[in-house]
Amino acid sequence: MAKFFFPSCKAKATYTQASEKLRIYMRDRYNIDSVGCCRAEHQKLTAQDSAIVVCNNCAAIMEESSQAGNIEFVWDLIDNDVDFPFPDYHSEIITIQDCWVAFEKRHLQDTVRSLLKKMNIKYVELDENFGKTKFCGVNLLAPCTPSNAKLAPKRYVAEGAHMFTPCPPEEQIAYFQKHCTQIQTEKVACYCKFCREAITMGGKQGIHLLELLFPC
């Protein structure tokens, strides 16, 4: 079984240094190189292949449009790596924001929390957590993109069309500020780029799991 690592184009562009550290880690620890964008490369995978992803949207695309026999998050590999050099955040208290795109993935959600514990972070839960989350930042305040609708129609159309509530850009900051009123900590851990950006727009310090695991 061949393993293909999809590092997320958006994550690479946004978290450049952390993504590069992750690329080196995957190469040195598992001898796995990244293969590029899931939208262009998903057709290459066969039922004998495994896709390793960072992004929740990449996972949705792989699940619905690829033939990959196995799909796993890079967070699982790190969580199971007994030699991973976890940074120590000295019992810092950080709220965790779950992502709607992965609302049903309890294993992923539990793994994220396991990683926070291993980094000595005391996380705070929101009322709408795990499968109850309805949050994905600006992703849900705009119409579903044609590409997502085509590549992951079950997630975004058949089962998720009602989640998209387009909101004018000038009203989005107020929307996210209202969301952040429930958050008591300054920092919020996210495992989604859109969630992180929205938390920051709302007045809190959104920080992606990649940034926590691979600090500058």
Side-chain angles (χ1 to χ4, degrees), residues 39 64 144-158:
R39 298 178 192 276
E64 296 194 42
C144 179
T145 66
S147 178
N148 283 345
K150 177 182 179 181
L151 294 173
K154 180 181 178 182
R155 165 68 66 210
Y156 293 116
V157 181

Side-chain angles (χ1 to χ4, degrees), residues 68-85:
N70 181 58
I71 300 168
E72 60 184 318
F73 282 86
V74 71
W75 318 127
D76 283 314
L77 297 182
I78 296 174
D79 192 45
N80 292 320
D81 183 357
V82 296
D83 295 319
F84 188 84

Side-chain angles (χ1 to χ4, degrees), residues 175-193:
Y175 180 94
F176 296 134
Q177 287 175 336
K178 181 179 179 181
H179 175 80
C180 286
T181 58
Q182 66 182 305
I183 300 173
Q184 302 302 310
T185 63
E186 179 58 29
K187 292 183 181 179
V188 182
C190 306
Y191 47 99
C192 162
K193 172 185 178 293

Side-chain angles (χ1 to χ4, degrees), residues 103-120:
F103 76 93
E104 85 288 10
K105 293 182 170 60
R106 184 56 185 258
H107 177 73
L108 164 63
Q109 296 160 345
D110 288 340
T111 298
V112 170
R113 286 158 173 81
S114 175
L115 291 172
L116 294 179
K117 288 181 180 178
K118 289 177 179 178
M119 289 185 282
N120 197 12

Side-chain angles (χ1 to χ4, degrees), residues 48-66:
Q48 287 72 47
D49 296 327
S50 177
I52 303 170
V53 300
V54 171
C55 168
N56 302 327
N57 187 54
C58 291
I61 290 173
M62 285 294 161
E63 289 167 357
E64 296 194 42
S65 289
S66 81

Side-chain angles (χ1 to χ4, degrees), residues 119-180:
M119 289 185 282
N120 197 12
I121 292 172
K122 294 183 177 179
Y123 58 85
V124 178
E125 297 282 2
L126 296 176
D127 289 339
E128 289 190 349
N129 60 355
F130 297 107
K132 296 178 289 184
T133 184
K134 302 179 180 67
F135 195 76
C136 192
V138 296
N139 189 35
L140 294 179
L141 295 189
C144 179
T145 66
S147 178
N148 283 345
K150 177 182 179 181
L151 294 173
K154 180 181 178 182
R155 165 68 66 210
Y156 293 116
V157 181
E159 297 179 356
H162 66 287
M163 294 298 298
F164 292 88
T165 54
C167 176
E170 62 271 17
E171 297 178 13
Q172 292 179 4
I173 292 180
Y175 180 94
F176 296 134
Q177 287 175 336
K178 181 179 179 181
H179 175 80
C180 286

